[in-house]
Amino acid sequence: MSESALASFVNLTQSDSQVREQVRQAATPMHVVNLAKEKGHVFTQATMMRMQAEKMKHLHDDHINDASSWGEALLICFGNHS
């Protein structure tokens, strides 16, 4: 359930520039979890961080080094950094 809610939230960030910008500005994982909950997508911080770590394994360091914030790094990991 939690992973599917995270996947749905990722899809939302891809289609909603306002939500994407809120994630980009997120200072901590908990900020993203709370934002997602406000939008009806309930998942745990642990689920999000586990999935982010898995996706980071497949990215070159240069991609993550370009992130200007924690939220930007999250968007990069989930393929949404435009």
Side-chain angles (χ1 to χ4, degrees):
M1 174 75 175
S2 191
E3 287 183 10
S4 63
L6 176 55
S8 294
F9 183 68
V10 168
N11 287 334
L12 177 62
T13 67
Q14 293 171 348
S15 65
D16 187 323
S17 61
Q18 184 178 12
V19 173
R20 186 170 50 249
E21 187 57 31
Q22 289 175 309
V23 170
R24 184 173 280 119
Q25 293 179 16
T28 68
M30 206 61 216
H31 285 111
V32 175
V33 170
N34 290 335
L35 172 63
K37 186 175 182 181
E38 290 173 14
K39 303 293 182 185
H41 304 276
V42 179
F43 50 84
T44 65
Q45 181 175 317
T47 296
M48 181 179 63
M49 294 185 75
R50 185 175 51 254
M51 289 182 73
Q52 180 184 18
E54 183 61 34
K55 293 195 178 280
M56 285 180 77
K57 291 179 188 178
H58 305 288
L59 292 175
H60 191 275
D61 287 351
D62 289 344
H63 294 304
I64 300 299
N65 289 337
D66 290 340
S68 60
S69 67
W70 182 88
E72 178 74 17
L74 180 67
L75 290 171
I76 290 168
C77 287
F78 288 105
N80 188 359
H81 51 88
S82 55

